[in-house]
Structure formats: C-alpha cells, structure tokens
C-alpha cells in the first residue's frame, strides 16, 4: 500500500500517492489534453519527460492550458 | 510642431535610430482578428514602414466585442477584414504602406505571403495554422511572435530561428482539435487580446529595432481573471525538434 504525501496542484493543497510521477498526476487530475503545459516547482517539463518526472512531498505542480484562439 | 514620432523617439532605447529601422521594416500580420487587429494597429502607429495583412475572413457581429479594427458598417458591408483593416490603418498613418491579402496562410503559399517580412505576428485562431506558420518561419529564417488565447488566459512566445527554441521545440506534438480549453468552450474576455496583441507588437518592435537584449526569453503565461503574469524559462531540449531540427 503506497503512502500518501501532500503537494500543491494549481495552488491547492492535495494529497496524492507518494510514488506519483507527473504522468500519474495528469491522469489523477484529468488533465490529459493536447494543449497541456505542465510545470514542476516553476520549471517547464517536456511532455516526453512526464513519465520519468517523480514528484515529492511539498512539490508545486501547475497544469496550464495553452490556448490557440486569436 | 513636433514630429509624428517625437515622443516615441524620446524613449531612449528606440531613439531616432530605432525609428529609422522601423520605417525600413516590413511586418506581416497573419490573422487580423482580435490579436492581429491590436498588434497591426500598434505597428502602424509606431511607423513600421510596410504592413501586410493576411486573413480570408469577413467581420461578424460577434467579432466586435474584441476586434477593434471593425465596426457595424463593416459587418453590414461584408467586405474582407483585411480591406477594412487596411483602410483604418492607412487613415491612422498615411506614411506607411498597408497591403491587404484576403487569403489563408497555407504550407504551399507561405513563402509568397511571408516574402520580404522582417517579422511575422501570429493572429491566427487555431493550432494547425500556427504549426504551419512556425515551420514556414523556421525554414525562411524569419522571426515571429506567437500568442494564443481563450477565456481569460493565453501565452506569448518569441521565435528567432537558429537562435532559440521554436514553437515545436516547446510543444513537439501539434494539438489536435477539439481542444479542452478553446474559444468555442471558454469564449474570450475582451481585454485579453488587447493585452496579448500589445505584448506581441512590443516584442516585434524590439526585433525590428535590433533590441534583442530586451526580448522576452521564455514563454510568458498571462492570466487576467485574477491577474497573474509569469515567465516559464526554457529548460533545454530533451530531443531534437521535429520542425527546426535544433536542440537548444
Ligand atoms: Zn524547434
């Protein structure tokens, strides 16, 4: 049974599994969409690196929508 | 009487030399809706010597809350947006040349539509067109200023081919519609394109004036409701870019 940890997602405190990756959080928070920009502790993370990017206690994750209207 | 650009030239980083550079430049505005209307107006008033406006659309009533170059008469007349826009911009500044082109930018006409451009401004309204524009600018070596928006948020990016990451370095996979966060689902807060279009014009002026040091370096994320502006730094490439082939 994985333990939980607290992190911040889009400015809100959230309790998530301790073994979370950016990829698993995207599934958990239903952020799988093509215009997603993901950020860990203020740093942009490449899409191909989501699965390998581990998230730890106290980390700050941001999910942002790139937009394509004009 | 002071000269037309006296106050702009008094801004020291531009000065009379910057003004001469603007006058000798050509900007192509691709998409002259809300973003493109704002950026084109600012570049015309700033004295960019030549402006080419590229857009196949005609104005509609539901454009008017955010597209400041058009009015109710234009909606009634149903002339192409670029015709109305060219008339407005020429009236604002008769000392520049404005060329209206009522066509959509495509991969096979991009070289012709962007020919001679010193800088390109993105005023498009979909991801596919922006990826076409990115590839064209990268292959032609023309700097371009991306912005995109929906709801109350958007992003801004300056692409300098060969000098830094392009749109596809940041986002290798082209987002396919339908998007979760779009104008269709979230509308547009009227002041948002004014903010982003002004920021695009501002970056274009720096590119044209040769003020590279003052350019936006990363990706600027803009949220207006509530307001929050911040810049994401480029973290370095993790793979070669499918568009520019680079690994910045
Ligand atoms: Zn690239």
């Amino acid at each position: 049974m994985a333990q939980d940890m607290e992190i911040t997602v889009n400015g809100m405190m959230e309790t998530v599994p301790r073994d979370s990756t950016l990829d698993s959080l995207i599934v958990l928070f239903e952020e799988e969409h093509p215009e997603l920009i993901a950020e860990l502790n203020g740093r942009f993370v490449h899409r191909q690196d989501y699965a390998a990017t581990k998230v730890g206690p106290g980390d700050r994750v941001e999910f942002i929508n790139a937009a394509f209207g004009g | 009487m002071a000269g037309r650009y006296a106050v702009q030239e008094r801004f020291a980083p531009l000065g009379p030399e910057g003004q001469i550079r603007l006058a000798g430049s050509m900007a192509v505005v691709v998409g002259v809706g809300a973003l493109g209307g704002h950026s084109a107006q600012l570049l015309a008033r700033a004295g960019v010597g030549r402006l080419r406006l590229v857009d196949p659309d005609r104005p509609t009533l539901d454009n008017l809350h955010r597209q400041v170059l058009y009015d109710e008469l234009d909606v009634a007349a149903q002339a192409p947006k670029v015709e109305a826009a060219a008339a407005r911009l020429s009236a604002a500044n008769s000392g520049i040349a404005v060329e209206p082109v009522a066509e959509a930018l495509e991969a096979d006409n991009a070289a012709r539509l962007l020919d001679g451009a010193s800088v390109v401004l993105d005023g498009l309204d979909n991801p596919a067109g922006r990826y076409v524009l990115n590839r064209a600018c990268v292959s032609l070596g023309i700097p371009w200023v991306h912005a995109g928006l929906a709801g109350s948020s958007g992003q801004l990016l300056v692409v300098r081919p060969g000098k830094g990451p392009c749109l596809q370095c940041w986002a290798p996979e082209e987002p396919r519609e339908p998007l979760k966060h779009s104008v269709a689902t979230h509308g547009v807060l009227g002041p948002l394109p004014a903010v982003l279009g002004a920021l695009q014009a501002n970056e274009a002026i720096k590119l044209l004036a040769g003020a590279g040091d003052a350019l936006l370096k990363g990706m600027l994320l803009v949220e207006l409701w509530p307001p929050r502006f911040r810049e994401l730094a480029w973290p370095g490439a993790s793979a070669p870019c499918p568009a520019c082939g680079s690994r910045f």
Side-chain angles (χ1 to χ4, degrees):
Chain A
M1 185 76 186
Q3 286 186 310
D4 288 344
M5 63 178 174
E6 289 203 325
I7 63 169
T8 307
V9 179
N10 288 357
M12 307 286 284
M13 282 289 257
E14 301 281 358
T15 303
V16 300
R18 191 170 274 271
D19 58 0
S20 292
T21 62
L22 210 44
D23 212 31
S24 70
L25 292 178
I26 287 166
V27 174
L28 186 65
F29 289 92
E30 299 180 349
E31 294 283 356
E32 300 154 292
H33 48 93
E35 67 271 40
L36 179 69
I37 294 173
E39 219 182 298
L40 177 61
N41 298 324
R43 283 183 64 84
F44 172 84
V45 180
H46 290 291
R47 190 167 284 261
Q48 61 265 35
D49 297 338
Y50 290 168
T53 300
K54 291 185 169 28
V55 178
D59 279 353
R60 288 178 295 112
V61 174
E62 296 262 356
F63 297 126
I64 302 135
N65 300 302
F68 294 93
Chain B
M1 197 166 77
R4 177 177 194 112
Y5 303 113
V7 177
Q8 182 160 277
E9 289 177 359
R10 201 181 302 150
F11 179 64
L14 281 177
E17 283 183 22
Q19 195 63 50
I20 290 166
R21 290 187 176 185
L22 294 185
S25 299
M26 176 164 90
V28 179
V29 180
V30 182
V32 191
L35 280 176
H38 284 289
S39 65
Q41 167 144 238
L42 289 167
L43 295 179
R45 289 176 185 275
V48 173
R50 290 195 294 153
L51 283 180
R52 183 179 297 146
L53 311 176
V54 178
D55 195 315
D57 292 344
R58 293 164 197 272
T60 57
L61 190 62
D62 66 357
N63 291 158
L64 297 188
H65 86 102
R66 65 191 188 283
Q67 302 194 12
V68 293
L69 291 183
Y70 314 115
D71 59 28
E72 293 174 9
L73 293 176
D74 298 316
V75 173
Q78 280 300 291
K81 284 182 180 178
V82 291
E83 304 285 348
R88 291 289 127 71
L89 299 179
S90 298
N93 190 347
S94 61
I96 63 166
V98 184
E99 179 192 356
V101 181
E103 291 183 56
L105 184 108
E106 314 273 2
D108 61 4
N109 68 12
R112 172 170 57 84
L113 295 182
L114 304 181
D115 183 47
S118 321
V119 67
V120 176
L121 288 100
D122 168 8
L124 291 162
D125 63 0
N126 64 86
R130 289 181 164 100
Y131 277 67
V132 168
L133 180 61
N134 182 60
R135 286 191 290 271
C137 285
V138 160
S139 80
L140 297 165
I142 302 169
W144 72 289
V145 186
H146 161 67
L149 59 84
S152 60
S153 67
Q155 71 285 334
L156 185 80
L157 179 68
V158 178
V159 175
R160 291 195 293 166
K163 295 186 177 155
C166 76
L167 178 64
Q168 232 174 321
C169 290
W170 283 91
E173 206 175 314
E174 179 181 323
R176 302 286 174 184
E177 295 181 271
L179 304 175
K180 183 179 153 194
H181 183 78
S182 70
V183 173
T185 58
H186 289 70
V188 180
L189 180 66
L192 179 65
V195 170
L196 283 163
L199 290 169
Q200 284 181 284
N202 190 47
E203 296 307 308
I205 286 169
K206 294 174 199 169
L207 285 164
L208 298 177
D213 292 353
L215 284 167
L216 172 68
K217 290 181 180 65
M219 184 180 290
L220 187 69
L221 303 176
V222 172
E223 170 59 71
L224 294 187
W225 200 282
R228 187 186 187 201
F229 284 59
R230 66 212 167 86
E231 184 179 347
L232 277 181
W234 173 245
S238 66
C241 172
C244 72
S246 299
R247 197 165 184 153
F248 288 105

Short mmCIF file of all heavy atoms in Angstrom, two decimals, chain B residues 134 138 164-170 240-248, ligand 1:
data_model
loop_
_atom_site.label_atom_id
_atom_site.label_comp_id
_atom_site.label_asym_id
_atom_site.label_seq_id
_atom_site.Cartn_x
_atom_site.Cartn_y
_atom_site.Cartn_z
N ASN B 134 4.84 28.29 -37.98
CA ASN B 134 6.12 28.03 -37.33
C ASN B 134 7.11 27.38 -38.30
O ASN B 134 8.25 27.82 -38.43
CB ASN B 134 5.92 27.14 -36.11
CG ASN B 134 7.21 26.87 -35.36
OD1 ASN B 134 7.87 27.79 -34.89
ND2 ASN B 134 7.61 25.60 -35.29
N VAL B 138 10.51 29.15 -39.60
CA VAL B 138 11.77 28.47 -39.31
C VAL B 138 12.54 28.21 -40.61
O VAL B 138 13.74 28.46 -40.70
CB VAL B 138 11.50 27.17 -38.53
CG1 VAL B 138 12.67 26.22 -38.62
CG2 VAL B 138 11.17 27.49 -37.07
N GLY B 164 17.11 30.25 -30.95
CA GLY B 164 16.45 29.75 -29.75
C GLY B 164 15.32 28.83 -30.13
O GLY B 164 15.07 28.60 -31.33
N PRO B 165 14.62 28.28 -29.13
CA PRO B 165 13.58 27.29 -29.40
C PRO B 165 12.42 27.86 -30.19
O PRO B 165 12.04 29.02 -30.00
CB PRO B 165 13.15 26.84 -28.00
CG PRO B 165 13.57 27.94 -27.08
CD PRO B 165 14.79 28.55 -27.68
N CYS B 166 11.84 27.03 -31.06
CA CYS B 166 10.66 27.42 -31.83
C CYS B 166 9.41 26.87 -31.12
O CYS B 166 9.51 26.23 -30.08
CB CYS B 166 10.76 26.92 -33.27
SG CYS B 166 10.45 25.16 -33.50
N LEU B 167 8.26 27.14 -31.69
CA LEU B 167 7.01 26.66 -31.08
C LEU B 167 7.03 25.14 -30.89
O LEU B 167 6.59 24.61 -29.88
CB LEU B 167 5.81 27.05 -31.96
CG LEU B 167 4.43 26.59 -31.49
CD1 LEU B 167 4.05 27.22 -30.15
CD2 LEU B 167 3.37 26.89 -32.53
N GLN B 168 7.58 24.45 -31.88
CA GLN B 168 7.56 22.98 -31.81
C GLN B 168 8.67 22.41 -30.95
O GLN B 168 8.61 21.24 -30.57
CB GLN B 168 7.59 22.39 -33.23
CG GLN B 168 6.46 21.39 -33.43
CD GLN B 168 6.32 20.87 -34.83
OE1 GLN B 168 6.49 21.62 -35.80
NE2 GLN B 168 5.99 19.60 -34.96
N CYS B 169 9.68 23.23 -30.63
CA CYS B 169 10.64 22.81 -29.60
C CYS B 169 9.90 22.73 -28.25
O CYS B 169 10.10 21.80 -27.47
CB CYS B 169 11.78 23.81 -29.46
SG CYS B 169 12.95 23.88 -30.82
N TRP B 170 9.02 23.72 -28.00
CA TRP B 170 8.25 23.74 -26.76
C TRP B 170 7.17 22.66 -26.76
O TRP B 170 6.92 22.03 -25.73
CB TRP B 170 7.57 25.10 -26.57
CG TRP B 170 8.45 26.21 -26.11
CD1 TRP B 170 9.14 27.09 -26.89
CD2 TRP B 170 8.73 26.59 -24.75
NE1 TRP B 170 9.83 27.99 -26.10
CE2 TRP B 170 9.59 27.71 -24.79
CE3 TRP B 170 8.33 26.12 -23.49
CZ2 TRP B 170 10.07 28.36 -23.64
CZ3 TRP B 170 8.80 26.76 -22.34
CH2 TRP B 170 9.66 27.86 -22.42
N PRO B 240 15.81 16.38 -30.35
CA PRO B 240 15.84 17.33 -31.47
C PRO B 240 14.43 17.70 -31.91
O PRO B 240 13.53 16.88 -31.87
CB PRO B 240 16.57 16.56 -32.58
CG PRO B 240 17.20 15.39 -31.91
CD PRO B 240 16.38 15.08 -30.70
N CYS B 241 14.25 18.94 -32.32
CA CYS B 241 12.91 19.45 -32.68
C CYS B 241 12.49 18.93 -34.06
O CYS B 241 13.28 19.00 -35.01
CB CYS B 241 12.95 20.96 -32.67
SG CYS B 241 11.47 21.73 -33.32
N PRO B 242 11.24 18.46 -34.19
CA PRO B 242 10.77 17.99 -35.50
C PRO B 242 10.62 19.11 -36.54
O PRO B 242 10.61 18.83 -37.74
CB PRO B 242 9.40 17.36 -35.19
CG PRO B 242 9.00 17.90 -33.87
CD PRO B 242 10.24 18.26 -33.13
N ALA B 243 10.51 20.36 -36.08
CA ALA B 243 10.34 21.47 -37.03
C ALA B 243 11.67 22.11 -37.40
O ALA B 243 12.01 22.24 -38.58
CB ALA B 243 9.41 22.53 -36.47
N CYS B 244 12.44 22.52 -36.40
CA CYS B 244 13.67 23.27 -36.69
C CYS B 244 14.91 22.39 -36.65
O CYS B 244 15.99 22.85 -37.02
CB CYS B 244 13.81 24.50 -35.78
SG CYS B 244 14.20 24.13 -34.07
N GLY B 245 14.76 21.15 -36.17
CA GLY B 245 15.88 20.22 -36.13
C GLY B 245 16.92 20.56 -35.06
O GLY B 245 17.95 19.90 -34.97
N SER B 246 16.64 21.58 -34.28
CA SER B 246 17.64 22.05 -33.31
C SER B 246 17.48 21.38 -31.96
O SER B 246 16.49 20.71 -31.69
CB SER B 246 17.52 23.57 -33.14
OG SER B 246 17.74 24.21 -34.36
N ARG B 247 18.47 21.56 -31.16
CA ARG B 247 18.47 21.04 -29.80
C ARG B 247 19.02 22.12 -28.90
O ARG B 247 20.15 22.07 -28.44
CB ARG B 247 19.35 19.79 -29.76
CG ARG B 247 19.11 18.94 -28.56
CD ARG B 247 19.71 17.56 -28.72
NE ARG B 247 19.36 16.79 -27.56
CZ ARG B 247 19.26 15.48 -27.54
NH1 ARG B 247 19.52 14.78 -28.60
NH2 ARG B 247 18.92 14.86 -26.43
N PHE B 248 18.18 23.15 -28.69
CA PHE B 248 18.65 24.31 -27.91
C PHE B 248 18.71 23.99 -26.43
O PHE B 248 17.93 23.19 -25.94
CB PHE B 248 17.72 25.50 -28.15
CG PHE B 248 17.90 26.09 -29.52
CD1 PHE B 248 16.96 25.88 -30.50
CD2 PHE B 248 19.03 26.83 -29.82
CE1 PHE B 248 17.13 26.41 -31.77
CE2 PHE B 248 19.19 27.37 -31.10
CZ PHE B 248 18.25 27.16 -32.08
ZN1 LIG C 1 12.19 23.87 -32.91
#
